[in-house]
Amino acid sequence: MAKSRNRKLADLIVTAGVDIAGNVTFDGGSTSADLTFADGDKANFGAASDLQIFHDGFNNYIDASTGSLLIRNTNDNYHVIIQSDNGGGGLADYFRAKGDTGEAILYHYGNQKLATTSTGINVTGITTSDTLVLEGTGVNTTYFTGGDASVSGRQ
């Protein structure tokens, strides 16, 4: 095929590999198959490659060089979830943001440990802290419920 500029083809079907030197531009195109990138190759987005997604052969990266990196789910019935394979073939949650309640939950090996609520936080398990400051408005009252409480040191 002769070299041509600014020519549009109605359909181009290639049944073998194609090597292209230079840039390929998709104007409203789509694919029904995977796009495969070699290790170290990047999917670049933006005029100055402001967002890059790539794999270096060992680690996976999402690099945003301008603005904020937003991960959103605009459907209140679903959640934003970060998980990992727990080694037993199942998935374990690390973080879950619930769209229907606004709750954010942190997990340890898939077990819920800290959740935000409309009035504060809810902690599951033992809380270890170098310093604990309890503050409130009005009368400062500390309640211990559901078990024993011990205080040592300065009170």
Side-chain angles (χ1 to χ4, degrees):
M1 176 153 78
K3 186 174 184 179
S4 173
R5 296 193 185 273
N6 298 324
R7 177 175 283 174
K8 294 189 177 192
L9 301 173
D11 290 304
L12 175 62
I13 300 172
V14 178
T15 58
V18 174
D19 291 326
I20 299 173
N23 296 327
V24 176
T25 302
F26 297 97
D27 293 330
S30 64
T31 178
S32 61
D34 295 341
L35 290 176
T36 302
F37 297 86
D39 290 347
D41 288 347
K42 297 177 180 178
N44 294 306
F45 302 88
S49 297
D50 303 321
L51 174 66
Q52 299 179 344
I53 302 174
F54 63 98
H55 174 75
D56 68 5
F58 185 72
N59 293 306
N60 305 294
Y61 300 87
I62 299 174
D63 285 347
S65 63
T66 59
S68 298
L69 178 63
L70 306 174
I71 300 173
R72 302 192 271 192
N73 184 348
T74 58
N75 186 329
D76 282 347
N77 295 320
Y78 296 96
H79 313 307
V80 174
I81 302 169
I82 299 174
Q83 347 179 267
S84 178
D85 186 328
N86 66 8
L91 295 175
D93 289 352
Y94 287 149
F95 172 79
R96 184 178 288 244
K98 293 186 172 187
D100 55 351
T101 64
E103 182 179 31
I105 305 169
L106 290 174
Y107 296 82
H108 183 263
Y109 287 112
N111 297 306
Q112 181 176 323
K113 294 299 173 183
L114 187 140
T116 63
T117 68
S118 61
T119 58
I121 63 169
N122 193 2
V123 178
T124 303
I126 297 172
T127 303
T128 303
S129 173
D130 292 337
T131 303
L132 176 62
V133 178
L134 302 173
E135 293 182 356
T137 57
V139 178
N140 291 327
T141 305
T142 303
Y143 297 97
F144 295 95
T145 60
D148 297 330
S150 64
V151 178
S152 61
R154 190 173 58 173
Q155 298 180 30

